[in-house]
Amino acid sequence: MKILYYTIFGIMYVLSLLPLCILYLISDFFFVVVYYIIHYRRTVVRTNLAASFPEKSKEELRSIEWRFYRCLCDYFVETVKMMTMSEKQMRRRMVFKEIEVIDKCIGDGQSVAVSLGHIFNWEWVTSLPFWTPSDAKCGQIYHALENQMFDHLFLRIRQRWGSECIEMREILRKTIDYKRKGQLTIIGYIGDQVPHWNNIHHWCQFLNHDTPVMTGMERIAIKNHQALVYLNVCRVKRGYYEAEFQLITQQPEELKEFETTDIYYRKLEENIRMQPELWLWSHNRWKRTREEFDSRFKVVNGKVVPK
């Protein structure tokens, strides 16, 4: 296993030394393979797009689909490039705007929960420590990969610039521990994932779907009195991104239950509609329905239990 790990690491490292213009040629080649030959998850992508944008024509949906696969292939080579990309190059290619929103929260002695979606290229958001106050610790929630070799490899890439990866099941304990120690934090949450049945506590309208959503970020922010901020990401051109911080609230405990979660999903939908090809359409995000939930589960004292 170690030999395989170091072999794959070595190949990726050598590839990362290539300039991005060459890596994008590799991306173009893989796009032809993935889109035209393999048809990677094309049924899922087409189903998601058609249901999310019923107002769009077939030609418009195919255009979004085609551009999505181009961005998906770019995502992989851009992530490989992270292994050796310099701070100067990253700061030029991944620009954070309205950083004053973060500065104010940290200046007020308040930690920040940053919500974002799987919008390309979310991996480059781990360069945030280049832009934030030095006394604040940056981190992001992640799901451990089943393959330990690739999990270790991605952890190494994502933590290269000092942003800590925190496994989802550890996030509450870690944030409470940081608060107890007086350590200010800026933690990124990607909430556009499919919750397990026993974690479904709220549904919202999102991209023309009745969608079960994760509410952990809201609960953690309230418990630790953290400011809630949305990170709106756009692609300026190939290899260049801008991410704008948008304050949701510095007083999450004063809003109604699930209100901040609803705000997050409204902002995420606005972000997606601006450049729909940037969102990760290849995941089956609407495989859990309210009808199935109601037939199989019930809520007792705030907990989801089988009927």
Side-chain angles (χ1 to χ4, degrees), residues 16 19 48 51 56 63 66 70 92 137 149 152 180 206 210 212 224 231-232 250-251 296:
S16 74
N48 286 341
K56 294 187 181 297
S63 177
W66 186 86
R70 296 298 300 263
R92 182 166 55 87
K137 185 175 184 62
M149 177 181 66
H152 182 72
R180 180 178 57 81
F206 172 62
D210 190 20
N224 293 296
L231 187 63
N232 189 87
Q250 283 192 259
Q251 308 293 334
R296 294 177 53 191

Side-chain angles (χ1 to χ4, degrees), residues 102 112-116 128 186-189 217 227 229-231 245:
I102 300 296
V112 183
V114 179
S115 58
L116 63 152
L128 182 58
I186 305 167
I187 305 294
Y189 296 77
M217 180 188 68
V229 174
Y230 180 74
L231 187 63
F245 292 105

Side-chain angles (χ1 to χ4, degrees), residues 209-247:
H209 293 81
D210 190 20
T211 307
V213 298
M214 305 185 78
T215 58
M217 180 188 68
E218 177 179 315
R219 296 197 304 271
I220 291 171
I222 291 172
K223 187 175 185 64
N224 293 296
H225 184 60
Q226 297 173 341
L228 281 163
V229 174
Y230 180 74
L231 187 63
N232 189 87
V233 180
C234 70
R235 188 179 190 181
V236 180
K237 60 182 180 179
R238 198 176 200 183
Y240 290 87
Y241 300 86
E242 288 183 352
E244 179 185 7
F245 292 105
Q246 300 175 353
L247 179 66

Side-chain angles (χ1 to χ4, degrees), residues 25-260:
L25 292 177
I26 296 175
S27 173
D28 292 341
F29 168 77
F30 279 111
F31 164 71
V32 173
V33 175
V34 169
Y35 186 68
Y36 289 105
I37 300 176
I38 299 177
H39 298 173
Y40 174 72
R41 295 191 177 184
R42 184 181 288 187
T43 300
V44 174
V45 172
R46 288 186 174 178
T47 300
N48 286 341
L49 285 172
S52 298
F53 304 119
E55 75 283 1
K56 294 187 181 297
S57 67
K58 183 176 180 180
E59 291 72 23
E60 289 175 306
L61 293 174
R62 290 295 180 270
S63 177
I64 295 171
E65 174 188 302
W66 186 86
R67 298 196 308 271
F68 160 71
Y69 279 98
R70 296 298 300 263
C71 291
L72 178 65
C73 293
D74 282 356
Y75 159 80
F76 287 110
V77 300
E78 288 172 354
T79 301
V80 168
K81 186 62 182 176
M82 287 171 62
M83 298 181 73
T84 56
M85 188 183 290
S86 68
E87 175 181 345
K88 181 179 179 181
Q89 186 179 21
M90 178 55 78
R91 286 176 64 96
R92 182 166 55 87
R93 291 181 174 273
M94 185 72 195
V95 176
F96 290 90
K97 302 174 67 177
E98 300 299 328
I99 195 71
E100 297 81 9
V101 171
I102 300 296
D103 292 340
K104 181 182 184 303
C105 295
I106 297 300
D108 292 341
Q110 188 177 28
S111 291
V112 183
V114 179
S115 58
L116 63 152
H118 280 100
I119 294 179
F120 301 122
N121 187 336
W122 66 86
E123 300 289 357
W124 283 12
V125 174
T126 58
S127 64
L128 182 58
F130 294 152
W131 299 77
T132 55
S134 59
D135 57 339
K137 185 175 184 62
C138 292
Q140 59 274 333
I141 311 304
Y142 91 105
H143 288 281
L145 301 177
E146 292 184 7
N147 187 299
Q148 292 185 351
M149 177 181 66
F150 282 104
D151 185 59
H152 182 72
L153 182 58
F154 269 85
L155 281 176
R156 184 166 183 166
I157 294 172
R158 289 168 175 166
Q159 296 183 136
R160 180 175 173 234
W161 290 307
S163 185
E164 179 187 9
C165 285
I166 305 171
E167 196 169 351
M168 178 171 283
R169 62 185 177 184
E170 295 290 323
I171 183 59
L172 179 59
R173 181 187 65 80
K174 292 282 286 188
T175 53
I176 292 175
D177 188 48
Y178 282 136
K179 183 179 180 181
R180 180 178 57 81
K181 294 177 179 178
Q183 173 65 62
L184 294 174
T185 58
I186 305 167
I187 305 294
Y189 296 77
I190 295 186
D192 57 346
Q193 302 176 32
V194 181
H196 293 295
W197 288 110
N198 61 349
N199 286 329
I200 297 177
H201 300 283
H202 183 55
W203 300 73
C204 73
Q205 280 297 311
F206 172 62
L207 287 172
N208 203 43
H209 293 81
D210 190 20
T211 307
V213 298
M214 305 185 78
T215 58
M217 180 188 68
E218 177 179 315
R219 296 197 304 271
I220 291 171
I222 291 172
K223 187 175 185 64
N224 293 296
H225 184 60
Q226 297 173 341
L228 281 163
V229 174
Y230 180 74
L231 187 63
N232 189 87
V233 180
C234 70
R235 188 179 190 181
V236 180
K237 60 182 180 179
R238 198 176 200 183
Y240 290 87
Y241 300 86
E242 288 183 352
E244 179 185 7
F245 292 105
Q246 300 175 353
L247 179 66
I248 296 176
T249 181
Q250 283 192 259
Q251 308 293 334
E253 64 277 2
E254 294 182 1
L255 300 182
K256 297 178 182 178
E257 186 179 23
F258 305 132
E259 185 174 355
T260 54

